[in-house]
DNA sequence: CGGAAGATTGAGAGTTCTCAATGCCTGTGG
DNA sequence: CCACAGGCATTGAGAACTCTCAATCTTCCG
């Protein structure tokens, strides 16, 4: 299987062989993290770029009253901060959710590699998609009720994981507690629990042992208004990005 | 006064004179729009990049039930879609809110100019800030109640406009109806009205004739938990970006 | 077996929404 | 100059959704 890393980068177009070799060379410094560890904290001045290889992490922000809002989930193939090195300091934190393997890429190595047009283009692409995901997240929080909100998030993660080969059929690992889901969706864990029950009762999906199984992807998408267009997943011959628009 | 356009680009560092000339040359094709017109629609394949010169516009998405969510406000100095030309089609629309003047920049001209390191850096910077603003928007929707939510948005727009020289003291033009505010904040216009009344009653600000006057910037920021760090506004000698962290 | 973390369920409270009526302001036409 | 229509803002009242607090249950692990 193609690694999630390349599967994602290929979304912008197939990568030449020599560029792939260059990218592969970036993966020298790989570190492991236990769940619930911070990779970078708000206020840090990072000198590495981070690339998710295994596991889930998230961007988050803590408000003064101590509540937390997760603003993004990062899964294998996602860069944590492609370019954040431009800024003086992080304006949010990144923390692991499950066991993770994360590549640390030195800032100057990154600067080097970005000279290659195909690679620059792929990184631009990835950053554009990240932005589109943020917008979709805003729409989700602003205009959908709790039930649709959870369903939509699950549809999105399913589509994204499928795109990198980590969600065959309508099933995938979701290593999150209900509290973490709540922090992402702006809901209390209690309400998350009730809505998951409703999703179960309506035979839309199950969530047990950190594993989501969607009964009928098309029906769920329809019900919660999920349209994957914003993920800009395109087919490219020979790439792993065959998972697409229509259901599982 | 320095134009908002340059004021914003200078945030990433002072721009050399010859690059400024190049940028100025981009401003050849400037078009005017009445309020409530679409500049680009979801599904379009744009062949121009758009740069706001005057007025307010917004990114938005329409849900199937017809509700709208605004995901960003665009004010003078903001690029609408620096790089969107990579994608096949827009996943959201951009529409004007007030009378606007918008520069249309041909795609190949943009590609040319992006070769210049200082310019590329400034554009990266701008796009990073846009992303940070999206994250702050998510935090706002997910974790603040209606009252704080409005206050936070007003603090943000005040800081951003001040950064480009459009908000001396604690006052600025906000050419939005309460319905549009609601579409941005995930609230009904009725509730917006009630919360604005409360902001008025508590002597925090007034909003009359499309004009916000903040009574005490520091107090409002404190009350709604606004920290401008995510806007990454930095002082650069000789730039217009002197509006900074602390109040008006 | 005991303890801890997470999930579930119930009940009441609070926030925001919906529906409906009224008021205000502006531009137009008589 | 006045009357009127239309768009927007304001206010009230009841409904709906989500939250808070509290108790119970399950699972996992030492």
């Amino acid at each position: 299987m193609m690694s999630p890393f390349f599967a994602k980068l290929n979304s912008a177009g197939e990568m030449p062989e020599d560029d792939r070799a260059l990218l592969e060379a970036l993966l020298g410094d790989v570190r492991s993290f236990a769940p619930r560890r911070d990779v970078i904290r708000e206020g840090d001045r990072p000198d590495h770029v981070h690339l998710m290889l295994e596991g889930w992490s998230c961007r988050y922000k803590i408000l003064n009253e101590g509540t937390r809002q997760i603003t993004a989930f990062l899964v294998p193939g996602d860069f944590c901060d492609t370019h954040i090195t431009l800024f003086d300091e992080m304006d949010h934190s990144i923390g692991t959710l499950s066991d993770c393997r994360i590549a640390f890429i030195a800032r100057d190595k990154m600067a080097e590699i970005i000279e290659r047009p195909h690679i620059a283009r792929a990184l631009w692409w990835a950053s554009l998609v990240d932005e589109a995901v943020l917008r979709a997240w805003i729409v989700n929080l602003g205009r959908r009720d709790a039930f649709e909100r959870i369903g939509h998030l699950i549809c999105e993660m399913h589509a994204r994981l499928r795109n990198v080969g980590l969600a065959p059929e309508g099933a995938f690992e979701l290593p999150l507690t209900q509290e973490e889901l709540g922090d992402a969706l702006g809901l209390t864990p209690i309400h998350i629990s009730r809505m998951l029950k409703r999703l179960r009762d309506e035979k839309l999906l199950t969530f047990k042992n950190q594993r989501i199984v969607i009964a009928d992807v098309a029906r769920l998408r329809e019900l919660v208004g999920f349209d994957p267009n914003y993920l800009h997943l395109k087919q490219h011959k020979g790439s792993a990005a065959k998972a697409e628009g229509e259901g599982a």
Side-chain angles (χ1 to χ4, degrees), chain A:
Chain A
M1 185 191 84
M2 185 179 302
S3 85
F5 174 30
F6 288 113
K8 175 147 192 207
L9 284 180
N10 276 336
S11 296
E14 199 69 27
M15 186 80 58
E17 200 45 55
D18 52 341
D19 281 343
R20 295 188 52 160
L22 270 175
L23 284 167
E24 219 134 356
L26 291 181
L27 273 39
D29 180 6
V30 175
R31 309 187 193 172
S32 293
F33 286 82
R36 290 149 200 246
R37 296 287 188 280
D38 278 334
V39 180
I40 324 177
R41 277 203 197 83
E42 178 162 357
D44 283 2
R45 170 81 218 242
D47 43 15
H48 289 275
V49 170
H50 303 85
L51 170 63
M52 293 296 298
L53 294 178
E54 274 182 46
W56 285 51
S57 64
C58 67
R59 298 180 195 284
Y60 70 89
K61 233 167 161 166
I62 303 283
L63 305 212
N64 18 22
E65 318 90 53
T67 59
R68 174 170 79 154
Q69 176 66 43
I70 292 176
T71 61
F73 286 124
L74 302 169
V75 296
D78 290 336
F79 276 98
C80 299
D81 37 28
T82 317
H83 34 295
I84 212 72
T85 47
L86 260 187
F87 282 158
D88 277 342
E89 53 175 61
M90 290 287 288
D91 57 38
H92 63 280
S93 305
I94 296 180
T96 59
L97 295 162
S98 66
D99 282 312
C100 286
R101 290 202 325 127
I102 302 176
F104 279 56
I105 304 169
R107 190 202 294 223
D108 50 351
K109 250 194 186 157
M110 198 69 197
E112 225 171 83
I113 207 129
I114 222 163
E115 302 287 316
R116 314 280 302 186
H118 275 92
I119 293 176
R121 183 184 165 86
L123 292 178
W124 259 120
W125 182 282
S127 127
L128 281 182
V129 171
D130 290 349
E131 241 183 86
V133 168
L134 286 174
R135 283 191 294 268
W137 210 297
I138 289 174
V139 174
N140 210 21
L141 289 172
R143 288 297 178 209
R144 279 190 264 263
D145 65 24
F147 181 75
E148 301 170 313
R149 213 127 111 195
I150 299 183
H152 194 277
L153 176 64
I154 288 171
C155 285
E156 176 186 308
M157 294 317 302
H158 172 241
R160 283 171 57 189
L161 289 170
R162 208 173 138 79
N163 180 235
V164 295
L166 294 174
E169 310 304 320
F172 61 95
E173 301 299 320
L174 185 78
L176 303 178
T177 64
Q178 297 187 353
E179 176 161 18
E180 287 157 346
L181 275 172
D183 285 347
L185 295 167
L187 299 166
T188 54
I190 296 165
H191 205 58
I192 296 280
S193 176
R194 290 192 223 275
M195 293 301 110
L196 283 174
K197 175 168 163 46
R198 214 178 113 198
L199 283 161
R200 233 181 290 127
D201 289 350
E202 298 190 12
K203 307 259 184 286
L204 290 164
L205 57 83
T206 63
F207 177 32
K208 226 191 284 194
N209 299 328
Q210 318 250 84
R211 187 173 180 75
I212 293 275
V213 179
I214 305 175
D216 179 342
V217 174
R219 193 158 75 93
L220 182 61
R221 287 183 171 188
E222 169 67 22
L223 215 57
V224 303
F226 177 79
D227 177 345
N229 69 332
Y230 69 92
L231 294 171
H232 297 276
L233 311 172
K234 295 196 310 188
Q235 274 128 321
H236 293 283
K237 309 155 283 310
S239 103
K242 61 184 181 303
E244 233 276 294
E246 81 306 324

